[in-house]
Amino acid sequence: MKFQAHQAFRAMILFAFFAFLIKLHMSGDILKYVNPKYNFLSQTAAYLFLFLFFIQCTRIWTRKNKHGEHCYHKCNHDHGDSHSPVKKRIAYSILTFPLLTGFFLPAKLMDASMASKKGIILNGTVGLQKEAKSETGTPPSLYAQEEKIAIDHEVAVDRKEVKKEAYDEKMKQLENAEVIDMNEEVFDPYYGQISENPEKYKGRTLKMKGFVYKEKGFQPNQFAMTRFLITHCVADATSIGFLTEFEKAQTLQQDTWLEIEGTLELTTYNGWEMPLIKVNSWKVIKEPKEPYVYPIWIKIL
Amino acid sequence: MDRGIRLFFLDLMLLMLGAVIIYFGFFSDGITNQNSSFQMPSSFLQLNTIFLSILIEAIPFVLLGVFIAGFIQIFITEEQIQKWIPKNRFSAVLMSCVVGACFPACECGIVPIVRRLVAKGVPIYAGVGFLLTGPLINPIVILSTYMAFGNDLKMASLRMGVGFAAALIIALVTSLVFRKNQLKRVPENTIEHGLNPKASFVKKFWHMLKHAIDEFFDMGKYLILGAFFAAFIQTYVSAQSLLQIGEGWVSSTLVMMGLAYLLSLCSEADAFIGASFRNLFPTSSILAFLIYGPMLDLKNTIMLFSVFKVKFVLYLMVIITATVFMCVSFLSGL
């Protein structure tokens, strides 16, 4: 029997990918990378890696005098034994790199510095994408559902896909609730609605969580209450937020997480008419467990 | 001999290193948490997070891709492919584009499949058609585009229609310029390739899995490199500075195409990003963004370079860029 070191190494890499993905799921850190709607994809991938690991294990020991069990058919791809040793090691270093950084470096949340790179938070363009959804009509209050969601986190994770009726219901609540509560579940559609027709919501009270983002053009008493919207993974994050006015704004640092309640007003910024929140009450909060918001997918059937 | 021993020890060290990594990574809560003196710059952590998120997002599709590639390698013979692909060049291109449109894939998962198909004797232009429409046109992409643009069918149908036309043109132009298979490593003795066709199904299946593993290791490194570059650009290059260039129709279209290339977004997610530019740029520029991104981006370019000859990839990039640009300009001229 001959020990095939590179095959063993490959087996280990496969196992490490499995371990990495499972670790992310177990610790919940996966939320910091991808939209939970796609969790099943990475879970499936994890188990496929485990499966491939077992297959690969059978190749670690080969009988002697056999010139590599896989060489009898020549094909144009790398079996791991065709390259020069140096090239092979470079290849394996590349493959190990994401595992190293993945296991050892903490995931970092998107913050204000990324928001400034991505641009486009306040011009309201993001909001416009919701146009056709705006025909939904009228009433009751948010609180009943809200509590349920807060308690049941399991539901919270799967909820990004909602039924049409439930969605309509939520949108009705936006129109009639005393306080517009921008919780994670409805953040994106509500944000779209409000930035699209700021006039309609003028004078209403709004409650939201977000982090402080300041930009050069802002007045000293202004900042943006910002969230990142993740469609698939953090690479496609868009920052969305409301311009906020608050006399103590100067004392607030970039990236501070706040929960505020305020009144919606109208303002213009860089020639765009947009909503403005005048803060009535506020408190500094810890970074929430679910820092990102996600677009809602409406189940049509 | 000496060299062999040294390599053996290097391997042994790598193995041990790997074991240590798995042990600490999995069973402790990450070393960095306890040891605060070891601090990475926050922009690198950000880069790393984006890099890993692109990988996590792409890996399921790449695994699917390597399984299909393995399947093609073992179960499909060259004779079958000869029989299926029409002799006529135009109908071959048309067929490949239609097959690609029915096939759900992403732009990195499809590269190993195309390579395998081309190695099995599919003409390069048909391979290109498949490569382009696979990630661009599929139910998930249509649905997400539809939703991103406010449940409006116009953008989704333009994306499909113009994208399909562009893919046809690109594949046809390719068929005029290139004849040979353009693969970097030409398969030797392709006849010996498959197993004995009479081998049992279980044996074939077993070989398919091994092929899938080899294919994963072959493609994986390029995927990782590509994802890293894309994350690097996202972290250190400000999109806003790019956008300031984009005044006027031509330059805004070019900027959007550049953005699509550099961001390397998955075709399922890019519609929402595209939609957020609606007030800044004309529809045609957004359309260019939506069509160009799935066809060509930073991370799949690196994979293409690993599979095809450099000259071919460069030509293909020029053809794709020019065609998408012209298709979109033609549309906005109407």
Side-chain angles (χ1 to χ4, degrees), chain A residues 14 63 205 235 286:
Chain A
L14 289 172
R63 258 166 279 140
T205 308
K286 272 208 305 200

Side-chain angles (χ1 to χ4, degrees), chain A:
Chain A
M1 298 286 268
K2 187 172 183 295
F3 179 67
Q4 304 274 356
H6 67 267
Q7 300 291 12
F9 195 63
R10 284 182 166 205
M12 218 153 63
I13 289 180
L14 289 172
F15 187 78
F17 270 110
F18 158 75
F20 173 55
L21 289 174
I22 289 298
K23 188 193 176 208
L24 283 184
H25 278 285
M26 274 173 16
S27 65
D29 275 351
I30 190 86
L31 270 178
K32 294 175 182 163
Y33 295 100
V34 291
N35 185 336
K37 183 171 166 317
Y38 296 97
N39 272 357
F40 74 97
L41 277 180
S42 45
Q43 267 160 349
T44 314
Y47 291 112
L48 276 178
F49 274 124
L50 185 65
F51 176 64
L52 290 180
F53 163 72
F54 289 128
I55 305 285
Q56 179 68 19
C57 280
T58 65
R59 304 164 89 179
I60 296 176
W61 297 93
T62 49
R63 258 166 279 140
K64 250 189 176 153
N65 299 330
K66 202 181 161 197
H67 175 60
E69 39 101 30
H70 37 257
C71 270
Y72 63 92
H73 62 249
K74 293 173 184 159
C75 33
N76 64 330
H77 65 156
D78 177 17
H79 286 291
D81 45 15
S82 48
H83 280 316
S84 74
V86 177
K87 248 187 172 170
K88 206 155 69 183
R89 274 163 191 80
I90 292 174
Y92 285 140
S93 320
I94 294 174
L95 283 161
T96 339
F97 178 72
L99 293 167
L100 278 174
T101 63
F103 275 125
F104 291 114
L105 300 180
K108 179 148 182 355
L109 288 179
M110 306 286 268
D111 59 15
S113 64
M114 274 320 278
S116 71
K117 292 263 163 40
K118 303 237 170 204
I120 51 158
I121 353 176
L122 289 173
N123 51 27
T125 46
V126 176
L128 282 176
Q129 56 186 265
K130 300 288 144 30
E131 255 168 81
K133 289 180 194 161
S134 66
E135 282 117 42
T136 43
T138 26
S141 138
L142 264 172
Y143 299 105
Q145 276 102 331
E146 198 195 312
E147 273 162 36
K148 209 175 115 212
I149 287 156
I151 295 162
D152 194 346
H153 192 72
E154 282 300 301
V155 175
V157 171
D158 292 327
R159 63 166 188 236
K160 271 83 204 180
E161 211 162 71
V162 295
K163 292 238 170 64
K164 182 92 177 78
E165 304 92 72
Y167 175 79
D168 289 346
E169 183 78 358
K170 290 270 159 28
M171 294 316 280
K172 278 181 196 170
Q173 288 162 0
L174 168 64
E175 305 302 318
N176 286 33
E178 257 177 79
V179 179
I180 301 172
D181 187 335
M182 305 272 289
N183 63 52
E184 281 77 11
E185 186 180 11
V186 292
F187 194 95
D188 175 52
Y190 279 18
Y191 175 80
Q193 284 288 307
I194 294 170
S195 36
E196 191 188 330
N197 318 301
E199 211 141 326
K200 192 169 154 195
Y201 299 95
K202 197 180 157 188
R204 298 277 296 276
T205 308
L206 182 139
K207 195 173 126 191
M208 75 175 279
K209 286 178 202 157
F211 65 85
V212 173
Y213 171 69
K214 293 180 184 174
E215 205 174 63
K216 265 185 196 152
F218 290 2
Q219 302 294 322
N221 65 341
Q222 287 179 335
F223 64 91
M225 279 293 276
T226 310
R227 295 298 284 260
F228 275 102
L229 176 74
I230 310 283
T231 308
H232 198 151
C233 71
V234 293
D236 58 52
T238 333
S239 47
I240 54 179
F242 290 117
L243 193 62
T244 307
E245 233 171 65
F246 177 39
E247 72 275 15
K248 291 205 186 98
Q250 266 170 307
T251 62
L252 294 169
Q253 297 289 320
Q254 284 283 44
D255 291 324
T256 316
W257 278 86
L258 296 179
E259 185 170 2
I260 59 160
E261 214 175 286
T263 318
L264 278 167
E265 304 278 336
L266 274 180
T267 187
T268 48
Y269 180 76
N270 287 345
W272 294 95
E273 185 166 84
M274 62 173 65
L276 170 84
I277 308 176
K278 286 244 157 110
V279 176
N280 303 331
S281 66
W282 66 290
K283 66 169 187 250
V284 175
I285 53 169
K286 272 208 305 200
E287 170 190 296
K289 253 193 183 152
E290 256 188 274
Y292 300 130
V293 293
Y294 309 95
I296 285 192
W297 290 73
I298 305 161
K299 254 191 200 148
I300 296 162
L301 293 172

Side-chain angles (χ1 to χ4, degrees), chain B residues 92-171:
Chain B
V93 164
L94 188 66
M95 185 182 126
S96 71
C97 287
V98 172
V99 171
C102 303
F103 187 81
C106 84
E107 68 269 22
C108 18
I110 203 158
V111 176
I113 304 179
V114 169
R115 164 163 85 161
R116 197 48 57 203
L117 283 172
V118 172
K120 282 272 173 183
V122 170
I124 183 69
Y125 43 84
V128 168
F130 183 69
L131 179 79
L132 297 179
T133 52
L136 176 64
I137 305 175
N138 70 52
I140 308 163
V141 176
I142 297 174
L143 187 69
S144 72
T145 314
Y146 171 73
M147 295 191 60
F149 287 86
N151 293 5
D152 184 4
L153 255 183
K154 185 177 155 244
M155 208 61 188
S157 45
L158 272 178
R159 185 181 193 182
M160 302 308 130
V162 178
F164 191 80
L168 271 183
I169 296 168
I170 294 161

